[in-house]
Amino acid sequence: MKEERPAGTPVLRRMNRAAVLDAVRRRAPEPVRLAELTQLTELTRPTVAQAVEDLLAAGWLRQHAPQPATVGRPATRFSLNGRAAPVLGLDVGPHTVTAGIADLAGERLAVIRRAVRHRRARHLLEAVDETAGEALATAGLAAEQITAVTAATPGIVEVTTGRVLFAPSVPGWSEIDLVGHLRARFRCGVTVENDANLAALAAAHQRTGSGTLLAVQWGERLGAGVVIDGRLHRGAGQAGEIGFIRPVGDLPDATGDGRGPLELAIGGKAIVDLARRRAAEHPGSRLARATDAAAVFAAADGGDPIAAEVVDRVAAVFAEAIAPVVLVLSPHAIVIGGGIARAGAVLLDAIARHLEDLTLTPPSVELSELAEGSVLGGAIQMALDEVWRDTLTAC
């Protein structure tokens, strides 16, 4: 039965517009007809028609020419006007900054990635400004047209303020007011979030259904995000800092750069160092030519037995460190993103094998479909969520 809502009351008209806009959003990017919107919203056709007219006038929707119909009168179709509310996502790292602009429907309008010249906070902030500026120019937008900004950053972020509390990979970064800097430039809502948390949101968005997801961002450093039934779990504020788990066994000497014990043991640099030590003992191994972690995994995948031993060791350390987390959270899946996500099945199979011996119900172990783009994807998704939350409340 269709819900009868008087269309003339301002509050009810706003509610009707929100319902129709949300229905169009859920069908995006496909255009939708009035008859379909009537079914999706359970509103009467005149009410839907009035809401569509209002949304067209406000610039939230665009109208498409009718498609030829074999029977009856061709129906006019409507879709989101993506450029009504573009958003900016930033992936700010110690070595690279990536800026991505997406429209309201989530379509990427620009993605710019630039290397950071120096690992100091001032230079990193300059790289953020330059990369964002290039993305705006590529998308053909001005800064004031951006409606929300989400910036991913390494380190521990204070949830309530967006202030970076601890970021050892970027000297001086915790002294920078990134929220204030971006808000002054873009004049819109700004969110700063831990990069691993945003990678977790992106991974959860790619999956269907509810459940618990542990998304690991694994490169030179290790972090993780926990998503439970679609919502990011922060705990007291530092949930997911797995890089500071202390693995069993001998540890490499600390380097004083703030890396945690697990990062020192199996971060990207540690994997290469382990491979080089093993290669020195076995000069005939393909590891002798390995210059990065990707080459180590490629050698193992190619059948090199010494490389396979290195990968198995890395997988064992990771599984032993993460097993207590799995026993506490019982996640449905562990999704691995970051540079190590290029390792492929050779690493996943080894991790799954070790976890089977250490946990009661081993989760599936998967690679992120977004790989190294997961952080930017999460930043854009969070910015879009903010816009939609505000839009559906105020439209």
Side-chain angles (χ1 to χ4, degrees), residues 369-390:
E369 294 180 9
L370 299 171
E372 293 178 85
S374 59
V375 174
L376 180 65
I380 289 174
Q381 187 60 49
M382 180 172 280
L384 284 171
D385 288 345
E386 291 291 333
V387 169
W388 276 110
R389 196 158 31 244
D390 294 342

Side-chain angles (χ1 to χ4, degrees), residues 148-183:
V149 177
T150 296
T153 177
I156 297 173
V157 178
E158 188 174 50
V159 177
T160 55
T161 65
R163 187 165 64 94
V164 180
L165 301 177
F166 178 66
S169 60
V170 183
W173 191 235
S174 59
E175 301 169 14
I176 298 293
D177 179 11
L178 184 58
V179 171
H181 180 83
L182 293 172
R183 190 175 288 150

Side-chain angles (χ1 to χ4, degrees), residues 112 125 128 130 184 189 239 241 245 283 305 307 316 338 358 364:
I112 303 295
L125 194 61
V128 168
E130 291 170 4
E241 293 293 338
I245 293 175
L358 297 168
S364 65

Side-chain angles (χ1 to χ4, degrees), residues 24-61:
V24 177
R25 174 199 184 191
R26 286 185 275 118
R27 287 291 299 272
E30 294 298 319
V32 60
R33 297 177 288 113
L34 279 180
E36 293 172 307
L37 288 173
T38 300
Q39 292 178 339
L40 290 168
T41 61
E42 297 188 348
L43 298 171
T44 63
R45 187 181 180 93
T47 300
V48 170
Q50 179 65 66
V52 166
E53 184 178 328
D54 291 346
L55 291 167
L56 285 169
W60 290 105
L61 297 184

